């Protein structure tokens, strides 16, 4: 059993490997890797960590690819909520940090704070969650009415637009 940072690094590796397999459409191979990564991060940081939300979005993508649309929809919703809450919390921490830095500005140069770095990473993860969710919404749903399909397509456009906004605001590509 891995502990602390070594466990988190291993969880990151598992999640990254799972993402590669997900991109290759090897869903059955990716699923257990996401499960192991999820367990490791939850054990180390708790279930409200932004990394958990990113892993859950990957798990939801596997469910969606396997035709388990309802379960995927629910998991995408909770992962998006969690990652957005993390981003809001980090933005508030960053605002507070900037206020403190402005008060101490005469003491030296500016360095990127830990909050800024964490916020950037959460925004990258959030963009990925948004894009995975959009792909789920864009996929054909057996038995869906024309109206339902249009609603899902519009939702996908909204999700992709928000991912694009994050990419342009924070200067990354996901």
């Amino acid at each position: 059993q891995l502990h602390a940072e070594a466990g988190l690094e291993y969880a990151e590796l598992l999640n990254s490997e799972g993402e590669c397999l997900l991109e290759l459409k090897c869903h059955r191979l990716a699923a257990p890797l996401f499960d192991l990564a999820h367990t490791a991060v939850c054990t180390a940081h708790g279930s409200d960590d932004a990394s958990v939300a990113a892993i859950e979005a990957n798990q939801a993508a596997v469910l969606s690819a396997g035709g388990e649309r309802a379960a995927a929809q629910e998991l995408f919703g909770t992962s998006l909520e969690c990652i957005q809450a993390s981003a809001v919390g980090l933005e508030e921490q960053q605002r507070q940090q900037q206020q403190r830095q402005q008060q101490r500005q005469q003491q030296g140069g500016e360095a990127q704070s830990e909050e800024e770095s964490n916020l950037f990473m959460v925004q990258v993860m959030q963009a990925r969650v948004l894009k995975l969710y959009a792909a789920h919404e864009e996929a054909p749903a057996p038995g869906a009415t024309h109206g339902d399909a249009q609603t899902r397509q519009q939702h996908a456009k909204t999700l992709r637009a928000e991912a694009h906004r994050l990419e342009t605001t924070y200067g990354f590509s996901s």
Side-chain angles (χ1 to χ4, degrees):
Q1 189 174 45
L2 297 170
H3 299 284
E5 289 306 312
L8 290 176
E9 288 174 11
Y10 185 62
E12 279 184 37
L13 177 67
L14 290 169
N15 189 52
S16 293
E17 184 179 355
E19 287 175 345
C20 291
L21 291 168
L22 187 62
E23 292 298 319
L24 294 171
K25 311 252 186 276
C26 298
H27 304 112
R28 281 189 235 175
L29 296 173
L33 297 173
F34 294 139
D35 293 343
L36 289 169
H38 187 272
T39 300
V41 174
C42 284
T43 300
H45 283 289
S47 62
D48 63 341
D49 187 78
S51 296
V52 172
I55 295 166
E56 287 177 349
N58 288 330
Q59 291 173 314
V62 169
L63 290 170
S64 180
E68 298 180 52
R69 298 200 55 78
Q73 186 77 24
E74 185 176 332
L75 196 50
F76 273 126
T78 58
S79 69
L80 185 56
E81 258 181 52
C82 179
I83 200 126
Q84 288 173 331
S86 291
V88 167
L90 286 169
E91 286 170 348
E92 180 57 33
Q93 288 177 3
Q94 184 179 356
R95 274 192 287 282
Q96 292 172 0
Q97 178 70 19
Q98 287 172 342
Q99 289 173 349
R100 286 190 296 270
Q101 284 178 344
Q102 287 172 353
Q103 292 170 355
R104 294 177 273 169
Q105 198 167 19
Q106 287 81 7
Q107 294 180 358
E110 298 265 336
Q112 185 180 30
S113 70
E114 184 177 341
E115 288 85 4
E116 288 173 317
S117 179
N118 289 341
L119 178 59
F120 179 81
M121 289 308 301
V122 166
Q123 298 299 20
V124 170
M125 288 188 285
Q126 182 175 354
R128 177 159 171 78
V129 169
L130 289 162
K131 286 181 174 184
L132 288 171
Y133 197 175
H136 165 76
E137 291 289 77
E138 292 164 344
T145 66
H146 180 68
D148 288 342
Q150 284 183 321
T151 300
R152 292 182 52 236
Q153 291 299 319
Q154 187 57 45
H155 186 224
K157 282 183 181 179
T158 302
L159 295 169
R160 288 199 184 279
E162 177 61 10
H164 179 72
R165 185 194 69 77
L166 291 171
E167 290 173 337
T168 56
T169 300
Y170 292 93
F172 64 87
S173 178
S174 62

